[in-house]
């Protein structure tokens, strides 16, 4: 009897075993550690792949001989800046640079102005044919450059604009304006219409409202359009090499081709020139980078 009575008491006196910690639940949408590790590894690999051509061109540009790219290991022991000195002082580099900067700068300003006014008009005004206008701009982007060279050459020849900066600027503008108009139209759609109405209440004309109220708010979109226009004109080769016939009017991309002939190719000088060409576009990217993501995402969400 006493044994039967004491047994439950002894069991009750034992301390309860600590409860097992519940497994930490992963939040919805949160990746597992393995998935995060794989994504980081993929991003690192993609970054290395993207950086490799840039690093390779920079490395080859430091080799003094034109065949050093065939023996890259030997460049490390004889690195020199002689290629840059020769490009800067023994070629027409500064003439090419001035021509390219002139054409790219005017193309950027002119193209962004036309694209901004077009995008704003389609965004705010419902005139007859506004939809076909935007679709026609989109269709023009479907034609490859090889198809456009011959008709554009004929048009420029008839207008006496061959071998002229104006002709090249107009050609580049036909390439940049359609895309930039679509981009800016989408960005103007994100700006409330009430701002335009407030401007009209204050006595502003439609042009004054566009210039004084809407454009300052559209700076991210304008930065993207300007960056795209500048790069299109700065690095273009096909149109410039076809329409610019005088060597004193070559742009940088066309001048780069002078290092390659039928029987010779000076790859070290080409690499050095390529690095110098990339510097202005890199500086421009640094100046507008804080606007690029905003401008691209806003324009894409409303286009």
């Amino acid at each position: 009897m006493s044994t039967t009575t004491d047994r439950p008491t002894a069991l009750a006196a034992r301390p309860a075993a600590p409860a097992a910690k519940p497994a930490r639940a992963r939040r919805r949408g949160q990746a597992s550690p393995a998935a995060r590790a794989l994504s980081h590894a993929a991003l690192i690999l993609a970054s290395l792949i993207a950086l490799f051509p840039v690093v390779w061109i920079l490395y080859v540009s430091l080799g003094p001989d034109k065949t050093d790219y065939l023996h890259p290991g030997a460049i490390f022991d004889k690195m020199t800046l002689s290629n840059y000195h020769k490009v800067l002082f023994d070629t027409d580099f500064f003439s090419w640079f001035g021509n390219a900067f002139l054409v790219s700068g005017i193309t950027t300003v002119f193209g962004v102005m036309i694209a901004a006014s077009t995008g704003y008009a389609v965004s705010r005004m419902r005139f007859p044919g506004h939809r076909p206008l935007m679709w026609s701009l989109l269709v023009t982007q479907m034609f490859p450059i090889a198809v456009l060279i011959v008709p554009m050459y004929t048009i420029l020849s008839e207008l006496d604009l061959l071998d002229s900066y104006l002709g090249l600027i107009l050609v580049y503008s036909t390439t940049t304006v359609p895309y930039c108009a679509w981009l800016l139209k989408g960005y103007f759609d994100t700006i409330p219409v009430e701002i335009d109405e407030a401007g009209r209440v204050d006595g502003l004309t439609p042009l004054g409202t566009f210039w004084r109220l809407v454009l300052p708010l559209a700076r991210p979109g304008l930065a993207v359009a300007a960056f795209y226009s500048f790069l299109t004109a700065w690095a273009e080769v096909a149109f410039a090499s076809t329409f610019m016939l005088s060597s004193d009017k070559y742009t940088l991309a066309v001048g780069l081709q002078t290092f390659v002939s039928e029987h010779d190719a000076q790859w070290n000088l080409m690499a050095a020139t390529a690095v110098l060409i990339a510097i202005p576009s890199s500086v421009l990217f640094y100046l507008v980078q804080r606007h690029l993501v905003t401008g691209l995402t806003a324009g894409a969400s409303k286009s």
Side-chain angles (χ1 to χ4, degrees), residues 4 21 29 48 50 66 106 111 117 126 197 214 235 246 263 280 291:
T4 308
K21 264 189 175 182
L48 292 176
K66 61 184 179 182
I106 297 178
S117 57
R126 292 297 176 262
E197 297 173 352
V214 178
S246 303
H263 304 288
H291 296 302

Side-chain angles (χ1 to χ4, degrees), residues 116 120 124 183-199 204 208-224 290-291 294-296 298-299:
Y120 178 74
R124 292 295 194 266
L183 173 73
L184 292 173
K185 187 265 181 188
Y187 196 89
F188 289 137
D189 287 344
T190 65
I191 299 176
V193 182
E194 289 76 12
I195 293 178
D196 302 59
E197 297 173 352
L204 292 176
T209 302
F210 170 67
W211 183 260
R212 298 179 61 180
L213 298 181
V214 178
L215 279 186
L217 296 175
R219 274 180 293 186
L222 294 174
V224 176
R290 62 193 182 99
H291 296 302
T294 305
L296 284 171

Side-chain angles (χ1 to χ4, degrees), residues 41-271:
L43 290 173
I44 292 173
L45 179 61
S47 301
L48 292 176
I49 294 174
L51 287 174
F52 176 76
V54 180
V55 176
W56 175 257
I57 291 294
L58 180 61
Y59 182 66
V60 170
S61 70
L62 299 175
D65 300 325
K66 61 184 179 182
T67 58
D68 280 337
Y69 73 97
L70 297 174
H71 313 282
I75 297 178
F76 189 79
D77 296 328
K78 53 180 181 179
M79 286 185 178
T80 178
L81 297 177
S82 60
N83 294 327
Y84 293 94
H85 184 275
K86 186 171 183 178
V87 168
L88 290 174
F89 300 106
D90 296 340
T91 67
D92 296 327
F93 176 83
F94 290 105
S95 175
W96 303 336
F97 184 92
N99 297 336
F101 189 81
L102 175 67
V103 172
S104 301
I106 297 178
T107 299
T108 300
V109 174
F110 179 72
V112 171
M113 285 176 57
I114 299 299
S117 57
T118 303
Y120 178 74
V122 177
S123 175
R124 292 295 194 266
M125 305 172 188
R126 292 297 176 262
F127 53 88
H130 72 280
R131 287 187 180 276
L133 171 64
M134 295 305 291
W135 282 111
S136 64
L137 293 178
L138 185 62
V139 168
T140 60
Q141 301 295 292
M142 300 179 182
F143 297 97
I145 291 179
V147 176
L148 298 175
I149 286 181
V150 174
M152 283 189 172
Y153 187 94
T154 303
I155 293 172
L156 293 180
S157 178
E158 292 179 354
L159 296 176
D160 198 22
L161 291 177
L162 278 179
D163 199 26
S164 69
Y165 298 127
L166 177 59
L168 194 60
I169 290 169
L170 292 176
V171 169
Y172 288 157
S173 297
T174 61
T175 304
T176 60
V177 167
Y179 171 78
C180 293
W182 267 97
L183 173 73
L184 292 173
K185 187 265 181 188
Y187 196 89
F188 289 137
D189 287 344
T190 65
I191 299 176
V193 182
E194 289 76 12
I195 293 178
D196 302 59
E197 297 173 352
R200 287 194 291 270
V201 169
D202 290 340
L204 292 176
T205 63
L207 180 61
T209 302
F210 170 67
W211 183 260
R212 298 179 61 180
L213 298 181
V214 178
L215 279 186
L217 296 175
R219 274 180 293 186
L222 294 174
V224 176
F227 185 66
Y228 172 79
S229 300
F230 182 86
L231 284 188
T232 298
W234 183 258
E236 201 279 328
V237 178
F239 288 140
S241 60
T242 304
F243 302 145
M244 306 304 283
L245 308 177
S246 303
S247 59
D248 60 335
K249 293 184 179 179
Y250 283 171
T251 59
L252 277 171
V254 182
L256 186 65
Q257 294 182 328
T258 60
F259 298 120
V260 179
S261 63
E262 186 178 354
H263 304 288
D264 188 24
Q266 298 173 309
W267 297 108
N268 54 334
L269 300 182
M270 288 186 66

